Amino acid sequence: EVQLVESGGGLVQPGGSLRVSCAASGFIFSSYDLSWVRQAPGKGLEWVSRINSGSGSTTYTDRVKGRFTISRDNAKNTLYLQMNSLKPEDTAVYYCAKYMYGTNWVDDWGQGTQVTVSS
């Protein structure tokens, strides 16, 4: 059974930093592309970033480019999102998402971790 468990969310002041993690199990972690997706209060899902399984190449939405860094530790089966220079508009529930092998379709989600940026 695939499990994705996010952690590390919390309350941070504008301009601050936070790192969220996603511990994965139940599949060959190194073989799958992964993403972070977020949902702000009262809004729809927004894709944030993706990391490739092979080369480790990364992509970001323009809204976080230069501030957020996605990474993975295949030895620990863990996905990370380092968030710097946080803004109030980054407030959201952050979800870890796994893609179906070789596709752009997400087939598994974590339960999410709340990130609140406020003074």
Side-chain angles (χ1 to χ4, degrees):
E1 177 190 5
V2 172
Q3 287 195 320
L4 300 168
V5 180
E6 298 93 336
S7 63
L11 174 65
V12 61
Q13 292 188 342
S17 298
L18 201 63
R19 188 179 78 162
V20 293
S21 303
C22 173
S25 62
F27 64 101
I28 302 173
F29 181 81
S30 59
S31 295
Y32 290 83
D33 289 12
L34 301 163
S35 269
W36 287 99
V37 179
R38 66 186 180 184
Q39 186 168 29
K43 297 190 176 181
L45 293 173
E46 177 188 25
W47 171 81
V48 175
S49 181
R50 177 171 178 165
I51 186 165
N52 180 276
S53 60
S55 65
S57 61
T58 58
T59 51
Y60 300 89
T61 178
D62 285 346
R63 295 186 64 192
V64 308
K65 201 173 292 182
R67 300 188 297 121
F68 289 13
T69 302
I70 189 172
S71 63
R72 64 194 298 162
D73 186 334
N74 290 335
K76 294 183 178 180
N77 287 0
T78 302
L79 177 72
Y80 302 100
L81 185 68
Q82 176 67 43
M83 302 181 286
N84 298 329
S85 302
L86 281 160
K87 305 175 181 180
E89 51 263 44
D90 295 318
T91 295
V93 177
Y94 283 72
Y95 297 95
C96 172
K98 169 188 159 293
Y99 292 89
M100 288 178 65
Y101 184 81
T103 75
N104 291 320
W105 296 99
V106 170
D107 62 350
D108 287 288
W109 298 84
Q111 85 290 347
T113 186
Q114 176 70 49
V115 173
T116 302
V117 184
S118 174
S119 55

